[in-house]
Amino acid sequence: MLKENLANVEKNIEQACKNAGRSRNEVTLIAVSKTKPVEMLQEIYDENIRDFGENKVQELCSKMEQLPSDIRWHMIGHLQRNKVKYIVGKVELIHSVDTYRLAEEINIQAKKQNVIVPILVEVNIAHEESKFGISAEDAILLVEEISRLENIRIKGLMTIAPYVENPEDNRLYFRKIKQLSVDITNKNIDNVSMEILSMGMTGDYMVAIEEGATMVRVGTGIFGERNYKQE
């Protein structure tokens, strides 16, 4: 079942890239594995997937110890400052930085470990009260502030679009994020690149790819429904 799900997702990614005149290798599939047992992750790993996304630090660290060391772990959930020390230097990318104070803590821990930490700035593009993320209006200022922290490199933007029945409803938001990344690029800020756009989930990743996503975060589409009892 997992194999079939993954094959289906892969086919959709190929199709979306084709629709947009993009190459398949421009898009990284992140298997979002929160609440899923390591056996399921191993099965997807065996299908040559190496990028996995987790929402909670404790779960990420626990799975990291049990699974192959060449997995690239992505912290995609809200990150509390007191948990930063557990993942700095261990994860491939932190997707969810939306305040200067959080960035500052990442920088402090990165200096202690003498590492440079790549991050994405999370933008709440639809102004949803239930979601984290900085507003698009304040994003450029935040990027400029974070860019001065020596041990952090901003690699792009992340957004969680609204939950919609029709993925087309989110096209506008993905387009806005893409435009914001262009605006930031044009400012030529030191230590900042906009090479990564982490946007699009199970319900809308094809539309996200057509609008420029370079990373899509797919959980349910690969692993099936989440087990909320474990959250």
Side-chain angles (χ1 to χ4, degrees), residues 17-32:
C17 287
K18 208 168 163 184
N19 296 348
R22 299 176 67 193
S23 158
R24 169 63 187 91
N25 61 20
E26 288 176 43
V27 180
T28 300
L29 170 61
I30 298 172
V32 176

Side-chain angles (χ1 to χ4, degrees), residues 175-193:
R175 208 165 271 175
K176 281 183 175 172
I177 288 281
K178 175 65 180 174
Q179 186 54 52
L180 180 59
S181 75
V182 170
D183 295 345
I184 293 171
T185 300
N186 290 340
K187 288 193 169 289
N188 287 322
I189 307 164
D190 285 346
N191 299 327
V192 174
S193 79

Side-chain angles (χ1 to χ4, degrees), residues 91-151:
V91 297
E92 180 77 8
L93 187 62
I94 299 173
H95 289 232
S96 46
V97 178
D98 61 353
T99 65
Y100 181 75
R101 287 181 73 193
L102 174 57
E104 204 172 29
E105 182 59 31
I106 293 169
N107 192 54
I108 289 167
Q109 298 302 332
K111 280 186 169 173
K112 280 185 190 172
Q113 299 195 36
N114 199 22
V115 292
I116 302 288
V117 177
I119 67 156
L120 304 180
V121 168
E122 180 174 359
V123 180
N124 185 345
I125 197 67
H127 298 283
E128 288 184 281
E129 278 184 21
S130 61
K131 292 200 174 124
F132 293 100
I134 185 121
S135 70
E137 295 73 23
D138 297 330
I140 293 179
L141 184 61
L142 180 63
V143 166
E144 286 173 339
E145 287 175 341
I146 294 174
S147 73
R148 300 183 195 112
L149 297 168
E150 300 98 318
N151 286 53

